Amino acid sequence: MSLDKSLFKVGVRQRMSKNDESLHHLKTGAFSRRLALSKLGARYGARAVRQSILQRFGGDEEAALAKRKENIDFFVEELGRLKGSVVKIGQMMATYGDYLMPPEVAEALHKLEDNTPPMSWRAIRPVLVKELGESALLALEIDEQPLAAASLGQVHRAVLRETGEALCIKIQYPGVDDTIDADFSAVMQLLKVSRLMPSTRNLDDWFGDIRLLLHKEVDYEQERRDLDFVYQALADDSRFVVPKSYPQFCTRRVLCMSYEEAVSVNAAEVADLSQARRNRLGRAVLDLFLTELFTWRRMQTDPNFGNFRVRIDSNGTDDKLVLLDFGAMRLLPNAFASEFCDMLLAACGRDKAQFLQRAISLGFMKPHFPQAVLDNFVDIGVDIAEPLRKIDDTVPARALTEDGQYCWRHSGLPQRIVKRAVAASISKYFALPPKDFLYVMRKLMGVYALIALLDAQFTADDVLETYSPKE
């Protein structure tokens, strides 16, 4: 498809209003960022002291807890005002580390939003000139107004002049990649000094890995390679649409790909699809996760619903999932992936002994732990596999439809799992799992939640059978 070329003049289209709130400059200086974070720490510290006095002399634990939550919300809200990589850091901590932080801190960080105003064309165009060169830009007609803007960059629509192909160009904000390490260190220090997060070597290692993941997200050359991998891997699967990259317009800070028409998974048009069509989409979501895990050993670990869109077939029932954003692709070590796959199959088959053996092998559990602790961990694992096996009498009635299908939306499974997992993490016997395990589990819970959002209703034992070893 091509964009309406009448909308474009002299390469770019100027649609910004005089009252436009776009930014002409993003603060990326190390000194200014540290100063802002230091001021935030001082303001939070003053509030925390007042909370401590209230708790010590007021005697009202409920009021003190409410005050602590209020202070944490204040801290996160102020953090969000700093924009840039600080917002992304907070979001990633919430997404990948919420089991490792106090619940009230994780809950507050989840509220961080990418509400950064887009940068003006005056600020963005020099980035494109520097990365691609003027001659390459002459081949494109670029819409000046962004299609979307986030904390690290923004996306513009464009047309390839020679062919009329519709494109999307993802452009990184100038200087963002230079602020990541300083911002990350400052945020971590602030969380520890403010006593919002404990200081342990395990947590430092874990959040250090998130720092590396953030660096990977701003490496658009790596994202293009991951995009190309998925594009090729799913080329013959009619259920999926993956954007095509245009390497001649790609660099470490610019990613150019085909524009793929689709609607949000939250759109009313998706909710209005027949049950059979929503079931097909839900099955595709689950099958993609299992393919990443069992076959590719390479997983897009960001569970954000925005990474999936739906292209509705207006003339039939061949709806497709459009896959976006491959900045969080992660190679899974073969040894870990094999153990995890065995754990998942054991959970589906209720083979508790095999499940526990794999858990001990991966270091979650120790053989000398109390039996009650081991049993609880195994029960959580078996619960996670509830939708992936044949329906039995352990499935709650609310999770079943009248014709015996699994109702993902009303099962309450993610909430049941999270509640038990958080409770288990408080135990003195809890060991920080391998980082890859937490990434994969976060994605699996996101898959369950997306299938529930689609209100798909199906039992998935036949989906998993495809990946089970044959007798």
Side-chain angles (χ1 to χ4, degrees):
M1 89 178 256
S2 62
L3 299 178
D4 182 358
K5 293 188 179 181
S6 67
L7 298 176
F8 293 83
K9 292 182 180 179
V10 197
V12 298
R13 189 179 150 218
Q14 187 167 354
R15 291 165 48 195
M16 299 288 186
S17 72
K18 292 181 180 179
N19 296 322
D20 167 37
E21 296 182 353
S22 60
L23 301 174
H24 300 300
H25 175 68
L26 191 68
K27 290 183 179 180
T28 56
F31 177 77
S32 62
R33 307 283 287 178
R34 285 198 299 268
L35 181 60
L37 286 166
S38 297
K39 288 179 177 178
L40 171 56
R43 290 197 299 272
Y44 176 81
R47 294 172 70 102
V49 167
R50 291 195 293 272
Q51 171 210 324
S52 179
I53 293 173
L54 174 66
Q55 186 171 357
R56 179 171 297 182
F57 299 106
D60 188 339
E61 290 189 10
E62 187 173 331
L65 185 61
K67 192 65 179 176
R68 171 175 164 80
K69 188 176 184 304
E70 178 186 319
N71 289 342
I72 292 171
D73 288 340
F74 162 82
F75 177 88
V76 171
E77 182 179 348
E78 292 297 308
L79 203 64
R81 297 182 192 276
L82 294 175
K83 314 297 186 188
S85 63
V86 167
V87 172
K88 189 67 176 181
I89 289 165
Q91 290 173 330
M92 293 179 74
M93 284 181 171
T95 298
Y96 297 112
D98 57 353
Y99 297 143
L100 312 176
M101 297 182 290
E104 62 273 21
V105 176
E107 181 183 350
L109 286 173
H110 273 297
K111 296 175 185 176
L112 275 173
E113 296 182 355
D114 277 328
N115 57 3
T116 304
M119 295 198 75
S120 66
W121 180 252
R122 190 175 79 193
I124 285 295
R125 190 180 190 282
V127 177
L128 288 172
V129 172
K130 180 180 179 181
E131 294 295 319
L132 302 179
E134 288 281 7
S135 59
L137 290 186
L138 290 175
L140 303 171
E141 296 182 1
I142 305 173
D143 186 349
E144 178 180 335
Q145 184 169 333
L147 180 66
S151 54
L152 301 178
Q154 60 195 48
V155 176
H156 290 253
R157 290 183 68 172
V159 166
L160 186 58
R161 290 178 184 274
E162 185 178 357
T163 64
E165 293 168 81
L167 308 176
C168 268
I169 305 179
K170 181 178 175 181
I171 307 160
Q172 189 177 127
Y173 292 142
V176 160
D177 54 341
D178 296 326
T179 70
I180 289 174
D181 286 326
D183 281 353
F184 201 96
S185 297
V187 171
M188 287 292 292
Q189 185 66 20
L190 196 53
L191 287 170
K192 292 175 182 177
V193 170
S194 305
R195 298 186 179 179
L196 294 179
M197 189 177 73
S199 178
T200 67
R201 182 173 180 178
N202 281 343
L203 281 178
D204 287 346
D205 289 346
W206 169 248
F207 285 113
D209 198 70
I210 292 181
R211 183 200 300 254
L212 295 177
L213 185 59
L214 187 53
H215 274 292
K216 186 174 182 295
E217 286 216 10
V218 297
D219 182 354
Y220 291 176
E221 288 179 332
Q222 179 60 50
E223 182 173 354
R224 181 182 64 80
R225 289 191 288 270
D226 289 326
L227 168 65
D228 290 345
F229 169 82
V230 180
Y231 179 85
Q232 293 293 334
L234 296 178
D236 298 325
D237 194 326
S238 63
R239 298 171 299 171
F240 303 102
V241 173
V242 181
K244 170 189 172 184
S245 74
Y246 289 73
Q248 68 271 36
F249 303 117
C250 294
T251 71
R252 186 177 176 85
R253 296 178 179 86
V254 176
L255 177 61
C256 183
M257 68 199 92
S258 58
Y259 174 78
E260 303 296 343
E261 191 72 50
V263 299
S264 166
V265 292
N266 288 296
E269 302 97 306
V270 176
D272 289 340
L273 292 175
S274 68
Q275 187 65 61
R277 291 170 75 170
R278 284 184 280 116
N279 290 350
R280 184 175 181 272
L281 290 171
R283 282 178 170 272
V285 171
L286 179 60
D287 194 25
L288 177 61
F289 168 81
L290 295 173
T291 297
E292 290 177 312
L293 177 63
F294 281 84
T295 307
W296 296 351
R297 304 290 167 95
R298 187 173 187 163
M299 182 173 289
Q300 200 287 84
T301 57
D302 183 357
N304 193 321
F305 291 167
N307 296 333
F308 296 86
R309 294 179 72 81
V310 178
R311 179 177 294 173
I312 295 176
D313 181 5
S314 58
N315 299 315
T317 60
D318 189 23
D319 310 305
K320 301 179 186 299
L321 280 173
V322 177
L323 308 181
L324 303 173
D325 197 341
F326 297 89
M329 284 288 282
R330 187 178 184 89
L331 291 172
L332 301 177
N334 276 327
F336 160 79
S338 296
E339 296 269 18
F340 188 92
C341 289
D342 287 346
M343 281 183 72
L344 186 59
L345 293 172
C348 290
R350 292 186 176 280
D351 187 342
K352 295 187 176 184
Q354 172 77 347
F355 184 89
L356 181 57
Q357 181 181 341
R358 297 302 179 186
I360 291 172
S361 177
L362 283 171
F364 304 157
M365 296 282 111
K366 303 294 181 184
H368 64 271
F369 283 179
Q371 191 62 42
V373 172
L374 298 176
D375 290 345
N376 183 58
F377 180 83
V378 171
D379 288 342
I380 292 174
V382 171
D383 283 350
I384 289 172
E386 180 180 280
L388 306 179
R389 56 174 168 264
K390 294 183 184 298
I391 300 297
D392 57 29
D393 56 8
T394 66
V395 178
R398 64 173 176 166
L400 297 176
T401 64
E402 291 184 358
D403 59 349
Q405 295 298 311
Y406 193 83
C407 184
W408 298 73
R409 173 171 290 184
H410 299 297
S411 70
L413 181 62
Q415 295 82 359
R416 284 185 274 144
I417 293 171
V418 167
K419 184 177 180 181
R420 293 185 65 174
V422 170
S425 70
I426 299 173
S427 167
K428 67 179 181 180
Y429 296 101
F430 175 78
L432 191 64
K435 290 184 281 286
D436 291 299
F437 176 84
L438 288 180
Y439 284 123
V440 173
M441 283 306 304
R442 169 53 63 193
K443 177 64 179 290
L444 179 57
M445 292 299 97
V447 166
Y448 282 8
L450 178 54
I451 296 173
L453 176 69
L454 294 169
D455 198 13
Q457 300 173 1
F458 63 93
T459 53
D461 55 295
D462 58 327
V463 180
L464 190 63
E465 279 179 8
T466 307
Y467 302 92
S468 301
K470 307 304 178 188
E471 295 283 336

